[in-house]
Amino acid sequence: MEGSTRDTWGSRIGVILAVAGSAVGLGNFIRFPGQVAQFGGGAFMIAYAISFLIIGLPIGWAEWAMGRYAGQRGYNSAAGAFHCLVPWRASKYFGVLGAMIPLVIFMYYVVIEAWTLGYTVRFLRAIVDPSLRFADVSDSQEYFTSFVGAAADGAALRPSLDTVLPWLVVVFLLNLVLIYRGISKGIELACRVGMPVLIVLCVFVLARVLTLGTPDPAQPDRNVWTGLGSMWNPGKTVVVGADGAVLAEVVDADRTRQRERATALAAQTPGATVVERTVLAQLADPNLWLAAAGQIFFSLSVGFGVILVYASYMGPRDDLVLSGLTASATNEFCEVALGGLITFPAAVAFLGVAGVAGAGTFGLGFNVLPLVFSSMPAGSLFGAIFFFVLFIAAITSSLSMLQPGIALLEESLGISRKGSVGLLGTLTALGTGFVAWFSKDLKALDTLDFWVGTFLIFVLATVQIILFGWFFGMERGWRELHTGAALQLPGWFKPVFRYVCPAFLITIFGLWVARNVFGWDPAGGASRGSPYTKALFVDGDPVAWLSVALVAVMAVGLTATIGGSRRYRDDSST
Amino acid sequence: MQPAGLAVMIASVGTVSILFVWCVAKVLTQPSATAEHMTGPDLHTPDMDRD
C-alpha cells in the first residue's frame, strides 16, 4: 500500500479505553453476577479464570496482531484483513461476518441502550416526583413491558417519556454523530471521557450498596452479606423437589446451620431433599464450563471483528501485548470487582435470595433493580447513576459495532466517511426500526441475539483463531504481536494459540450448539428442544423468519459489495 | 457469607484489581510509540510482504 493519510488513534490509552469500552457492556453488570450466583463463586471462577487464559486472551491478542498487520498494509476492514492475511481468493468473504455481525448486533443493542437512557431519566424524574418510584415487582414489570412494548408489536413506538421511542431516536443519532467524527475525535474521545466516568460512578454506587446492611430488620436474612454469600460461597445447599427442580437455595454464614435450615425447609415439602453441591461436583457439570466460557467470550467482545478493525488503526511500534492485556484487565475489573459486587447483593438485600433467583438478565436489570433502587434511601439518585453507568457501558460498545461497517464501505466502495455513515445510518435505521417495531415478547431482538449475537460470533471467532494459528502462521503472528511490545509472552502461549484455544473453542461451540440449537442437555443427556429452532421450523413464527431473512439479505449485500470491490481484485493481481 | 466464600471473593476481586492497576500503571509509565506513526504517512514496501 502506498503512503497515505489514514485515520489513526490519538494515543495508546485512547485505543485501550476504546477496546475496553467495546467490551464493557450490560453483561458485566447484570449477566455476570447472575451466572456466578447460579453456579457458585468457587467453581464458576475456576472455570472463568481458565477460560480467560485459554480463550479470552489468545483470541483477543490474535485479533490485535492480525488487525495491526493488515492496517499497516492499508486494510482496515475484516474483509481486507482476511484478504491480506491469507492468500486465497475466497478469504475476503469471511469478512462478510466481520461486518455483518457487529452491524446486526448494533440494530438491537441500540434499542437496549435506549432502555438504559430512558430508565436514567425516569429515576431523575423520580427525584422530583417520588410517585414515580416503583412500588413492587409487578409495578416494575408492568412498566418494563409497557416501556419496551413487549405486550404487542409497535406498542412502544409512541411519543412518550415512558416508552422507548424518544430515547431510541436520541441514542441512534448520538451514535451516528460520534461515529461520523471519526476514530480519534469520535470513538476515542467518547471512550476517554466515558470509561473513567463509568468507573468512578460505579465505585460510588458500590459504596452505597456495600453499606446497605440489613434494610429491613424484620427480615434479617435479606442483607448484603447474604447476597455476597449467595454469589461467592464455593458450594451450594439447595432444596430439590421430587421432580428434580430446585425449590430453594439456603445461604447462611455457618455451613452447619445452613444445612439444618435446608433440612427444615425440605421437611415442609413432600418428596423434597437437600442437595449439597460441592466445588468438584459443580466443576464436573458441562453447563458450568459452557456458562463460564460463554461469559468470558462475550464479555471480552473477542471474536466478532471489532478488535481486528480497531487494531488496524494502530502504529507499527505500538505495544499490542500490553494494550490487549490492559483492555482485558479493564473489562475484568469492571465485571468482577464492580459488577460482581453491586447488582446481586443489592437485589438480595431487598428481595432475598428467592426473590432474585432465576430472574434472567433483563429481569434482573429492568424488573428487579429498578425496584431495589426505588426501595433504598436516596434510591432515585443512585438508580439514575446506575442506569447512566449502563448507558455509558452500552454506548461505548455500540460505537464499536459501527466502525467495522464504516471501514468496509470506505475500503470496498472507496466512498468518504460522510457517505459511508449516511449509507450505514440508513441501513441500521431500517434494522433498528424492525427490532423496535416487532417488540412483542422481544421476539426480533431475541432471535437476532441468538443467531447472530451468539451463534455467528462463535463461528467468526473460530475462523479467526484458526486463521491466526494455522494460516497467517504462528511465527509471523508471534513476531507481529511482539513488535514494539515491552512485555514478552511466555513460550507456552504458542501451543495455546495453535492447539488449545481452537480445540477448547470448538468443544464449547459444539456443546453450545447441542444444547441451544438441538436442545440437548449436556449434563443430563435428555433433549428438551430449542425454542429458537422450534420458532423457525415447527411454529413457523413470522417474526423469527423475518429476522433470519434480514440477516440473509445483509449477508448477500455484503458479499456482493466485497466481491464487486476493485480494491480486493486489484490487490490480488499484484 | 462463609469464610470460604469471603476468600473466593477476595481472591477474585483482588486478582482483577491488581492486574488492572498494574496494567494501567505500566501503560502510563511506558513511553508511547503512538507519536511515531503520527509524524508521517505509513510506508510499505514490497519486501515487507515476504515476511
Side-chain angles (χ1 to χ4, degrees), chain A residues 306-319:
Chain A
V306 167
I307 298 175
L308 188 82
V309 171
Y310 272 9
S312 74
Y313 297 99
M314 294 186 78
R317 303 291 304 170
D318 279 327
D319 189 335

Side-chain angles (χ1 to χ4, degrees), chain A residues 486-512:
Chain A
L487 293 179
Q488 176 73 32
L489 291 181
W492 55 262
F493 251 109
K494 282 187 182 178
V496 170
F497 276 111
R498 197 166 160 86
Y499 304 106
V500 180
C501 180
F504 191 73
L505 191 58
I506 289 169
T507 304
I508 292 294
F509 184 35
L511 281 174
W512 184 88

Side-chain angles (χ1 to χ4, degrees), chain A residues 518-534:
Chain A
F518 297 108
W520 176 73
D521 182 359
S527 180
R528 296 173 286 104
S530 162
Y532 299 98
T533 42
K534 192 165 169 276

Side-chain angles (χ1 to χ4, degrees), chain B residues 12-35:
Chain B
S12 303
V13 172
T15 303
V16 296
S17 300
I18 290 169
L19 180 65
F20 171 64
V21 170
W22 182 84
C23 284
V24 171
K26 189 91 178 160
V27 168
L28 295 178
T29 55
Q30 199 183 66
S32 174
T34 307

Side-chain angles (χ1 to χ4, degrees), chain A residues 1 3 6 8 10 12 16 45 73 225 229 232-234 252-253 255 258 315 317-319 322 326 330 333 486, chain B residues 1-2 4-5 8-9 12-13 17 19-20 22-23 26-27 30 33-34 36-38 41-42 44 48-49 51:
Chain A
M1 182 67 194
R6 294 192 299 120
T8 56
R12 183 172 50 187
I16 290 169
M45 290 310 291
R73 283 147 186 83
W225 278 102
W232 297 102
N233 284 348
D252 199 293
R255 285 198 68 178
Q258 180 170 294
R317 303 291 304 170
D318 279 327
D319 189 335
L322 183 59
T326 307
T330 307
F333 175 74
Chain B
M1 178 151 64
Q2 295 159 7
V8 170
M9 185 181 82
S12 303
V13 172
S17 300
L19 180 65
F20 171 64
W22 182 84
C23 284
K26 189 91 178 160
V27 168
Q30 199 183 66
T34 307
E36 189 178 321
H37 77 271
M38 295 177 71
D42 298 324
H44 180 76
M48 293 170 77
D49 288 328
D51 284 345

Side-chain angles (χ1 to χ4, degrees), chain A residues 193-386:
Chain A
V193 174
M195 289 306 291
V197 169
L198 179 146
I199 290 174
V200 170
L201 291 179
C202 261
V203 171
F204 189 57
V205 176
L206 177 62
R208 168 70 278 203
V209 167
L210 293 182
T211 53
L212 279 172
T214 307
D216 183 0
Q219 304 204 61
D221 275 358
R222 297 184 178 184
N223 60 66
V224 173
W225 278 102
T226 303
L228 289 170
S230 177
M231 275 189 72
W232 297 102
N233 284 348
K236 290 206 164 285
T237 303
V238 292
V239 179
V240 178
D243 59 352
V246 175
L247 300 177
E249 180 194 344
V250 180
V251 183
D252 199 293
D254 182 79
R255 285 198 68 178
T256 308
R257 201 165 56 223
Q258 180 170 294
R259 172 86 189 180
E260 288 169 358
R261 284 177 51 199
T263 306
L265 199 61
Q268 296 172 10
T269 310
T273 52
V274 175
V275 176
E276 292 281 0
R277 291 182 176 165
T278 63
V279 173
L280 286 178
Q282 295 203 72
L283 281 173
D285 179 2
N287 286 319
L288 174 133
W289 288 91
L290 195 53
Q295 181 63 29
I296 275 292
F297 188 62
F298 296 112
S299 172
L300 286 172
S301 288
V302 292
F304 76 122
V306 167
I307 298 175
L308 188 82
V309 171
Y310 272 9
S312 74
Y313 297 99
M314 294 186 78
R317 303 291 304 170
D318 279 327
D319 189 335
L320 300 186
V321 177
L322 183 59
S323 299
L325 185 62
T326 307
S328 300
T330 307
N331 178 71
E332 291 310 304
F333 175 74
C334 290
E335 181 155 292
V336 178
L338 299 177
L341 300 182
I342 292 177
T343 42
F344 204 82
V348 170
F350 285 94
L351 302 175
V353 176
V356 183
T361 302
F362 289 158
L364 180 61
F366 295 96
N367 293 337
V368 173
L369 288 176
L371 178 61
V372 166
F373 286 115
S374 293
S375 307
M376 70 171 67
S380 297
L381 174 65
F382 284 99
I385 293 172
F386 178 76

